[in-house]
Amino acid sequence: MTRLMDNSTPAIQVAVGSGIATDIASYARRKLRVAIKHVHGSVISARVRLTRSMNPSVTEPLRAQVNLDIAGAPIRAQATAGTAVAAVDLVMAKIARQAATVGGRRLDHRCARVEERSS
Protein backbone atom coordinates (compact mmCIF):
# COMPACT_ATOMS: atom_id res chain seq x y z
CA MET A 1 0.00 0.00 0.00
CA THR A 2 1.36 3.44 -0.87
CA ARG A 3 1.47 6.25 1.60
CA LEU A 4 -0.44 9.27 0.31
CA MET A 5 0.96 11.90 2.66
CA ASP A 6 4.54 13.12 2.73
CA ASN A 7 6.73 12.01 5.62
CA SER A 8 7.04 15.60 6.84
CA THR A 9 3.74 16.27 8.60
CA PRO A 10 3.60 19.91 9.69
CA ALA A 11 3.23 20.99 13.27
CA ILE A 12 -0.46 21.45 14.02
CA GLN A 13 -1.11 24.85 15.57
CA VAL A 14 -3.99 24.90 18.07
CA ALA A 15 -5.35 28.13 19.55
CA VAL A 16 -7.73 27.79 22.49
CA GLY A 17 -9.86 30.74 23.51
CA SER A 18 -10.68 31.88 27.01
CA GLY A 19 -13.09 29.78 29.02
CA ILE A 20 -12.10 26.53 27.27
CA ALA A 21 -10.02 23.82 28.97
CA THR A 22 -6.51 23.70 27.51
CA ASP A 23 -6.42 19.87 27.44
CA ILE A 24 -8.78 19.99 24.43
CA ALA A 25 -5.78 21.16 22.36
CA SER A 26 -4.11 17.72 22.48
CA TYR A 27 -7.45 16.08 21.64
CA ALA A 28 -7.86 18.36 18.60
CA ARG A 29 -4.28 17.63 17.45
CA ARG A 30 -4.85 13.86 17.65
CA LYS A 31 -8.15 14.10 15.78
CA LEU A 32 -6.64 16.25 13.01
CA ARG A 33 -3.74 13.84 12.51
CA VAL A 34 -6.27 11.06 11.96
CA ALA A 35 -8.40 13.26 9.69
CA ILE A 36 -5.51 14.12 7.35
CA LYS A 37 -3.97 10.65 7.32
CA HIS A 38 -5.21 9.83 3.79
CA VAL A 39 -4.62 13.21 2.17
CA HIS A 40 -3.56 13.26 -1.49
CA GLY A 41 -0.58 15.63 -1.53
CA SER A 42 1.53 17.29 1.12
CA VAL A 43 -0.03 19.16 4.03
CA ILE A 44 1.84 22.46 4.20
CA SER A 45 0.10 23.93 7.24
CA ALA A 46 -2.62 22.94 9.71
CA ARG A 47 -4.38 25.19 12.23
CA VAL A 48 -7.21 24.62 14.69
CA ARG A 49 -8.99 27.40 16.55
CA LEU A 50 -11.43 26.83 19.42
CA THR A 51 -13.53 29.73 20.67
CA ARG A 52 -16.52 30.26 22.95
CA SER A 53 -19.31 32.75 22.35
CA MET A 54 -20.03 34.85 25.41
CA ASN A 55 -23.59 35.57 24.25
CA PRO A 56 -25.89 33.68 26.66
CA SER A 57 -28.62 33.31 24.03
CA VAL A 58 -26.42 31.17 21.76
CA THR A 59 -27.43 27.51 22.13
CA GLU A 60 -24.16 26.12 20.76
CA PRO A 61 -21.50 28.48 22.12
CA LEU A 62 -18.37 26.53 21.19
CA ARG A 63 -16.91 26.92 17.70
CA ALA A 64 -14.11 24.84 16.21
CA GLN A 65 -12.40 26.03 13.02
CA VAL A 66 -9.80 24.16 10.96
CA ASN A 67 -7.60 25.62 8.21
CA LEU A 68 -5.44 23.36 6.07
CA ASP A 69 -3.12 24.09 3.19
CA ILE A 70 -2.79 20.96 1.07
CA ALA A 71 -0.30 21.41 -1.77
CA GLY A 72 -1.34 25.06 -2.12
CA ALA A 73 -5.10 24.42 -1.90
CA PRO A 74 -6.71 26.03 1.14
CA ILE A 75 -9.34 23.96 2.93
CA ARG A 76 -11.48 25.37 5.71
CA ALA A 77 -14.24 23.98 7.91
CA GLN A 78 -16.02 25.09 11.04
CA ALA A 79 -18.63 23.64 13.38
CA THR A 80 -20.46 24.73 16.51
CA ALA A 81 -21.68 22.59 19.39
CA GLY A 82 -22.58 22.66 23.06
CA THR A 83 -19.26 21.16 24.15
CA ALA A 84 -15.70 21.55 22.93
CA VAL A 85 -15.31 17.81 22.27
CA ALA A 86 -18.49 17.74 20.17
CA ALA A 87 -17.39 20.80 18.17
CA VAL A 88 -13.98 19.22 17.49
CA ASP A 89 -15.57 15.92 16.44
CA LEU A 90 -17.97 17.66 14.04
CA VAL A 91 -15.33 19.84 12.40
CA MET A 92 -12.90 16.94 12.03
CA ALA A 93 -15.53 14.89 10.21
CA LYS A 94 -16.08 17.80 7.80
CA ILE A 95 -12.39 18.43 7.20
CA ALA A 96 -11.67 14.73 6.65
CA ARG A 97 -14.31 14.57 3.90
CA GLN A 98 -12.96 17.69 2.21
CA ALA A 99 -9.30 16.74 2.52
CA ALA A 100 -9.85 13.25 1.15
CA THR A 101 -11.41 14.57 -2.05
CA VAL A 102 -9.53 17.80 -2.78
CA GLY A 103 -6.33 16.23 -4.08
CA GLY A 104 -7.92 13.70 -6.37
CA ARG A 105 -10.50 16.14 -7.73
CA ARG A 106 -7.92 18.80 -8.54
CA LEU A 107 -5.54 16.34 -10.17
CA ASP A 108 -8.32 14.76 -12.26
CA HIS A 109 -9.50 18.20 -13.34
CA ARG A 110 -6.01 19.28 -14.39
CA CYS A 111 -5.41 16.04 -16.28
CA ALA A 112 -8.68 16.48 -18.17
CA ARG A 113 -7.63 19.99 -19.23
CA VAL A 114 -4.22 18.79 -20.39
CA GLU A 115 -5.80 16.00 -22.47
CA GLU A 116 -8.26 18.46 -24.06
CA ARG A 117 -5.44 20.82 -25.10
CA SER A 118 -3.35 18.08 -26.66
CA SER A 119 -6.25 16.84 -28.82
Side-chain angles (χ1 to χ4, degrees), residues 1-114:
M1 184 163 104
T2 59
R3 185 172 168 85
L4 299 175
M5 191 170 65
D6 288 356
N7 290 334
S8 59
T9 304
I12 298 171
Q13 301 173 359
V14 180
V16 179
S18 63
I20 301 173
T22 56
D23 59 344
I24 194 71
S26 63
Y27 179 74
R29 253 187 220 98
R30 264 194 330 267
K31 293 289 279 189
L32 188 55
R33 280 193 187 103
V34 170
I36 63 176
K37 188 164 56 170
H38 299 292
V39 168
H40 299 275
S42 62
V43 179
I44 297 169
S45 68
R47 288 185 316 216
V48 179
R49 183 175 178 202
L50 304 165
T51 56
R52 175 186 298 276
S53 173
M54 294 303 174
N55 186 346
S57 67
V58 175
T59 58
E60 296 181 333
L62 288 151
R63 172 173 288 147
Q65 300 171 316
V66 176
N67 294 300
L68 294 177
D69 183 349
I70 299 176
I75 300 175
R76 186 175 190 288
Q78 71 177 6
T80 58
T83 66
V85 172
V88 168
D89 289 342
L90 288 170
V91 78
M92 293 306 166
K94 288 180 179 182
I95 208 74
R97 281 192 306 270
Q98 291 179 22
T101 60
V102 72
R105 184 174 62 238
R106 285 179 165 249
L107 290 175
D108 291 344
H109 182 67
R110 287 182 190 150
C111 291
R113 272 193 276 155
V114 170

